[in-house]
Amino acid sequence: MDPEVSVLFHCAHWRGLLEAQVQVEISERFNRQTDTALERHISELWTKRVSKESWLFNGAKFRLHSFCLTSPKPFLSAPVLQGAGDQDTQRLEDVCKRNGCMKETEGAQNGEEQMDGVSNLRPELKNITSELAPPSGPLLTLRLGLTCYKDYLGTNWSNQVAELCQRGQAEFDDPLALLAQPLGVGAVLCTNDGQVVFIRRSQRVAEAGGLLDIPGGHPEPKVVSELLGLEVSEDQIGVTMMQPRPELVVSELFSSVCAEIRDEVNIPLASLRAPVLLGIALNHTSAGRPSAEFFVSCSLTSDEVRDLYWKGGAEAHESTDIVFFSRKEVLQLDGRSPLWSEMCPSAKGAMLLYQKCET
């Protein structure tokens, strides 16, 4: 529908996944591939960028390598989403194979099947549909490595990105092997009176200045290291320190999206309900960079949210205005809508995932 964005996978038949249904496997095997020449190129680009934008900060980020989505046999399941206007219905749908991406795993028991999403995003993996699943237990495994913002600007945003993808395919059978691919997060935030929250990005932000966006950012490896009781700098954070406690990475993935809402919109955490993972969208303006998009409902009205926003949050400088659209308007958004052209890719991806889970 839009060349700027696509859906890697969505959780429509579950109507979203809760934190208990997601797990991570974190390993150095899932880090970016590199060599001396590429590292030199990244450092040169970073130096030039920081000389113009001194506020840039090179923080550690999680790198999405691939995922594994498991689906049991079909059964009745109540919807997970709890936003204004949601219908409390039950679904029963047959498990079927879609896009040639679902396969029975060797030794699978109890009728379980698996979908493996690999990092090179073959065409048949671009729009994976997840199946019905029980409301408990790990159903999605995200395979994560580590990267950083500096590497993101020097690979995904490099003018040599096409060459890097060609090299990745030739040398590693994976066009994304040399790219940072940091995993972002975003929130489809719905108020108590059925309004979806958008913010207009400042012209000072690194990407998509002036466009409409949703609250979002990144899960932070630094936070996980602090939860582990480790006092380390951003460049000292390593995969091995997090491997014994992967559940803390999942916790940061889900809690970070609420922290972004608090910091960007100035909504107290106590006013937010548990985030529901809708799926992962890809931003093709930055070489297919992935973002986990969530649905988050809020106990406040749109007027209350507007008042809090204008009082200013910790990251108020990242946006210049707040805009509300009804749930009905959001569900009708597509490439023909005038509003669509005002939205940045991350917001477009989140809207596509929300529409899939709501219709």
Side-chain angles (χ1 to χ4, degrees), residues 99-279:
N99 300 326
C101 300
M102 181 174 268
K103 62 181 181 181
E104 293 188 6
T105 57
E106 186 175 354
Q109 298 179 355
N110 300 323
E112 285 192 348
E113 295 176 316
Q114 263 187 358
M115 287 189 288
D116 274 317
V118 297
S119 60
N120 57 8
L121 308 184
R122 298 182 182 89
E124 68 269 27
L125 296 177
K126 290 294 178 68
N127 288 284
I128 292 177
T129 302
S130 53
E131 305 299 319
L132 279 175
S136 63
L139 302 172
L140 169 66
T141 300
L142 298 175
R143 302 185 185 111
L144 303 177
L146 284 180
T147 186
C148 64
Y149 190 63
K150 170 184 171 183
D151 290 357
Y152 169 59
L153 293 183
T155 59
N156 287 66
W157 275 104
S158 169
N159 57 11
Q160 298 180 16
V161 66
E163 178 185 338
L164 292 176
C165 290
Q166 292 171 358
R167 281 189 54 201
Q169 181 64 50
E171 298 173 20
F172 304 99
D173 195 30
D174 176 3
L176 304 182
L178 297 169
L179 304 187
Q181 293 298 93
L183 179 63
V185 294
V188 179
L189 176 61
C190 189
T191 64
N192 193 43
D193 52 347
Q195 299 292 303
V196 177
V197 178
F198 291 83
I199 52 179
R200 190 168 295 279
R201 293 171 65 84
S202 166
Q203 293 291 352
R204 287 195 61 183
V205 295
E207 300 174 43
L211 296 179
L212 287 176
D213 200 1
I214 56 173
H218 301 86
E220 302 292 348
K222 178 70 170 176
V223 173
V224 178
S225 68
E226 292 170 351
L227 291 174
L228 290 167
L230 303 174
E231 295 184 6
V232 295
S233 62
E234 294 279 354
D235 58 359
Q236 292 175 322
I237 297 172
V239 165
T240 54
M241 65 178 61
M242 288 181 271
Q243 285 177 324
R245 299 289 305 277
E247 73 278 7
L248 294 182
V249 179
V250 178
S251 176
E252 168 59 9
L253 177 66
F254 277 74
S255 62
S256 64
V257 73
C258 291
E260 294 292 346
I261 294 171
R262 176 198 61 200
D263 294 343
E264 295 182 9
V265 190
N266 201 31
I267 296 177
L269 294 179
S271 299
L272 303 175
R273 297 188 179 92
V276 179
L277 179 64
L278 303 175

